[in-house]
């Protein structure tokens, strides 16, 4: 069924543990309310743009894509445009200033670039998210048009054909004027695809924490966090090593879950010890214990992990726990802190369904789980998971191999994540998701160029030193030949002590949110703006 503009179905769910300045907007907010806040600001307007359902088949009709634009720094006819899309979440949080920032002004890098080059700023909602979707029911048939090619084509079509209220003659459309694409995380990945598939539509790019090389088993995700912990919370004469303590917790848990002959009574006692009082599968339980580390990729979320670290090494008192025997101090401390600080918030965003079990949303084996059943526009996690399964982006975060240290259970495997694809997207009318039809991360990398793209130009690549997705980026140490080396045409910045997408927000936005400023981030932002100004000054419209 075609969705009317502005309609949002009543489910509000996403797997993130909390809203975050990194770009995980509060999806429980009313998108229309958020947009009205932005529209109250002088020079901001919001509207709809018609897109084809399928850019290769006009006969399927069109749908309405929501966008907001600000002319605050637009310098007049022919001036540049800076665009971002919030990607895998509704756009409401990206255009509302309620959290102290908006991607329409200079609390973010979108506005910072626009202010420097005299550009308009645009936020364009991604297809199948928020209020922008061709369909309101998401199954393996209707989701066939949620692909990287279609999503990239949306943005290229918008840049070439939009009619802004202040530019009726389309003097600032691409390619007559330079368009700049800013993206963080998945949207940076999307930007790299746009540059690859539609060269010349966007004149320049600033891509922060862009995943470009996908894989099936991304154990480096948690390993990068482990290395960050060692730097930000090192062992001292009075404080034990947190990473070693977390490894000890993993060894204790896996000694029971992965025993050659697991003892059901002991496994159940272990779950009870960590507060899992409702039935839960072993692999879902293992992932529940790893959920605190999801905070790391949120802006300044590392502080939550470091507080966990402090609690885990707080004392050396073991305890007797019946069938579990003598529980090491670090295990006892982890369990105590997990139960008091993380257990009840794990599924907070799903309270709309009124479940009693605080870990119910992690149940990946029950087709009747509302989290799996909700095939509607209000469940953006479902559409994001389609990307992971269909393209497939995959890059599943897992426990480390047996010969490597691991801060999470090795019960978390790529097979654990992959089986959830079938739970979410069983075949419908003969249609299935890509990885069920033979697609792999390698086939995606061949299509996009992955790490080995060498014909790019005017892309600023930025990555945090301790971004858990760094292993998939151009700054990955796993990349053949090592991390991409910086040049004048393709500057590469690895930001010291930074995490995931930290350079998306300016000092003003960080201050408004009450977070601590990383001067290393600020220095890179200043350099990025100077580079962008230089590039834009050399723009010449094609004849």
């Amino acid at each position: 069924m075609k969705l009317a503009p502005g309609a949002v179905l009543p489910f509000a769910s996403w797997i993130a543990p909390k809203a975050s300045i990194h770009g995980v907007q509060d999806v429980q907010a009313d998108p229309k309310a958020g947009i009205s806040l932005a529209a109250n600001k002088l020079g901001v307007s919001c509207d709809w743009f018609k897109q084809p359902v399928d850019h290769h088949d006009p006969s399927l009709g069109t749908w309405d894509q929501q966008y907001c634009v600000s002319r605050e720094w637009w310098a007049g006819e022919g001036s540049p445009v800076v665009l971002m899309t919030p990607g895998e979440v509704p756009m409401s949080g990206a255009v509302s200033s309620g959290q102290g920032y908006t991607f329409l002004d200079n609390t973010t890098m979108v506005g910072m670039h626009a202010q420097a080059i005299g550009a308009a700023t645009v936020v364009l909602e991604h297809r199948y998210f928020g209020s922008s979707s061709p369909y309101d029911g998401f199954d393996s048939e209707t989701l066939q048009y949620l692909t990287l090619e279609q999503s990239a084509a949306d943005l290229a079509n918008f840049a070439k054909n939009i009619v802004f209220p202040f530019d009726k003659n389309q003097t600032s459309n691409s390619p007559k004027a330079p368009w700049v694409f800013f993206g963080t995380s998945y949207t940076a990945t999307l930007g790299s695809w746009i540059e690859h598939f539609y060269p010349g539509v966007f004149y320049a790019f600033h891509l922060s924490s862009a995943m470009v090389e996908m894989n099936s088993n991304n154990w480096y995700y948690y390993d990068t966090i482990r290395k960050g912990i060692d730097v930000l919370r090192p062992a001292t004469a009075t404080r034990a090593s947190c990473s070693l303590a977390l490894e000890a917790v993993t060894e204790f848990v896996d000694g029971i879950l992965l025993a050659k002959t697991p003892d059901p009574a002991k496994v159940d006692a272990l779950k009870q010890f960590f507060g899992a009082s409702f039935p839960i599968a072993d692999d879902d339980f293992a992932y529940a214990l790893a959920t605190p580390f999801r905070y790391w990729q949120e802006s300044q979320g590392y502080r939550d992990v470091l507080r966990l670290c402090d609690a885990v090494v707080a004392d050396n008192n073991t305890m007797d726990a019946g069938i579990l025997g003598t529980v090491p101090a670090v295990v006892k401390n982890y369990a105590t802190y997990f139960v008091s600080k993380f257990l009840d918030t794990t599924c907070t965003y799903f309270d709309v369904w009124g479940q009693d079990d605080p870990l119910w949303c992690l149940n990946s084996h029950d087709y009747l789980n509302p989290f799996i059943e909700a095939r509607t526009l209000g469940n953006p996690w479902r559409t994001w998971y389609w990307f992971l399964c269909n393209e497939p982006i995959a890059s599943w975060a897992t426990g480390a191999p047996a010969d490597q240290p691991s801060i999470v259970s090795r019960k978390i495997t790529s097979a654990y994540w992959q089986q959830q694809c079938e739970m979410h997207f069983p075949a419908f009318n003969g249609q299935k998701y890509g990885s069920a039809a033979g697609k792999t991360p390698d086939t995606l990398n061949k299509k996009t160029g992955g790490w080995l793209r060498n014909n790019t130009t005017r892309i600023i690549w930025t990555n945090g030193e301790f971004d858990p997705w760094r292993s998939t980026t151009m700054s990955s140490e796993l990349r053949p030949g090592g991390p991409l080396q910086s040049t004048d045409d393709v500057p590469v910045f690895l930001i010291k002590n930074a995490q995931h997408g930290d350079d998306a927000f300016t000092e003003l936005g960080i201050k408004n949110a009450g977070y601590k400023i990383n001067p290393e981030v600020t220095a890179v932002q200043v350099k990025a703006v100077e580079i962008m100004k230089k590039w834009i000054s050399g723009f010449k419209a094609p004849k």
Side-chain angles (χ1 to χ4, degrees), residues 33-42 44-46 68 95-97 102 104:
I35 289 172
S36 67
L37 283 173
N40 284 335
K41 187 172 182 177
L42 185 65
V44 172
S45 60
C46 301
C68 291
V95 297
S96 168
S97 58
T102 165
L104 293 170

Side-chain angles (χ1 to χ4, degrees), residues 189-249:
T189 303
L190 179 59
S192 73
W193 291 336
I194 293 169
E195 194 272 345
H196 185 64
F197 294 132
Y198 296 96
V201 175
F202 286 85
Y203 183 71
F205 298 79
H206 180 157
L207 305 180
S208 172
S209 299
M211 297 170 61
V212 295
E213 181 78 12
M214 313 311 172
N215 58 63
S216 298
N217 183 13
N218 187 24
W219 64 271
Y220 301 97
Y221 180 94
Y222 292 113
D223 198 57
T224 303
I225 296 174
R226 179 184 66 83
K227 293 174 180 176
I229 288 171
D230 280 340
V231 170
L232 300 177
R233 205 48 116 235
T236 66
T238 58
R239 183 177 60 217
S241 165
C242 175
S243 67
L244 291 178
L246 295 172
E247 291 172 41
V249 174

Side-chain angles (χ1 to χ4, degrees), residues 308 311-317 328-338:
L308 168 65
V312 169
V313 299
D315 67 59
N316 296 315
N317 300 317
V330 292
V331 177
K332 176 206 68 176
N333 295 342
Y334 192 104
T336 300
Y337 199 77
F338 176 80

Side-chain angles (χ1 to χ4, degrees), residues 306-372:
L306 296 184
R307 281 191 283 268
L308 168 65
C309 276
D310 293 340
V312 169
V313 299
D315 67 59
N316 296 315
N317 300 317
T318 62
M319 72 175 292
D320 181 29
I323 191 174
L324 295 178
T326 300
V327 176
V330 292
V331 177
K332 176 206 68 176
N333 295 342
Y334 192 104
T336 300
Y337 199 77
F338 176 80
V339 170
S340 65
K341 300 295 183 181
F342 293 107
L343 181 69
D344 288 338
T345 60
T346 300
C347 297
T348 298
Y349 268 29
F350 309 106
D351 285 349
V352 66
W353 283 300
Q355 303 292 312
D356 294 325
D357 180 3
L359 299 177
W360 73 271
C361 66
L362 304 185
N363 185 345
S364 65
H365 300 272
D366 181 8
Y367 281 105
L368 299 180
N369 186 337
F371 173 52
I372 294 173

Side-chain angles (χ1 to χ4, degrees), residues 83-140:
L83 177 145
M84 69 84 68
T85 172
E88 71 275 27
V89 290
M91 69 179 284
S92 55
V95 297
S96 168
S97 58
Q99 298 183 70
Y101 64 90
T102 165
F103 284 93
L104 293 170
D105 70 19
N106 60 1
T107 52
T108 63
M109 279 305 298
V110 174
M112 192 171 179
H113 281 309
Q115 187 174 18
I117 62 176
T121 56
V122 178
V123 175
L124 180 67
E125 195 161 55
H126 196 291
R127 64 165 52 204
Y128 285 81
F129 291 93
S131 301
S132 302
S133 179
Y135 304 100
D136 62 1
F138 297 151
D139 54 42
S140 294

